[in-house]
Amino acid sequence: MVDRASLEILGFILGAVTAVVFAVGVIVVRSHVDTQLVVEHRVPVVPASLSAQRSPGT
């Protein structure tokens, strides 16, 4: 009827592919979450033209 050995191998292959896709998804999501945290906590950049300028005599 059914070749059980082939179905077993196919199941292992599909399981491995599922595990790899899951791992890549976890890595991508963690990367995006970490990037958002870094962006929220970084020091704002002020252009030199808008920053306080020292007078030439001081």
Side-chain angles (χ1 to χ4, degrees):
M1 299 255 220
V2 177
D3 185 12
R4 287 180 169 244
S6 296
L7 287 176
E8 222 174 276
I9 292 171
L10 183 62
F12 284 128
I13 291 171
L14 291 177
V17 168
T18 302
V20 168
V21 169
F22 180 77
V24 169
V26 167
I27 291 169
V28 168
V29 169
R30 288 184 74 187
S31 156
H32 283 290
V33 168
D34 290 343
T35 302
Q36 284 297 326
L37 291 176
V38 169
V39 168
E40 289 176 5
H41 290 100
R42 80 172 170 197
V43 178
V45 176
V46 179
S49 62
L50 298 177
S51 65
Q53 296 182 5
R54 296 177 51 190
S55 60
T58 59

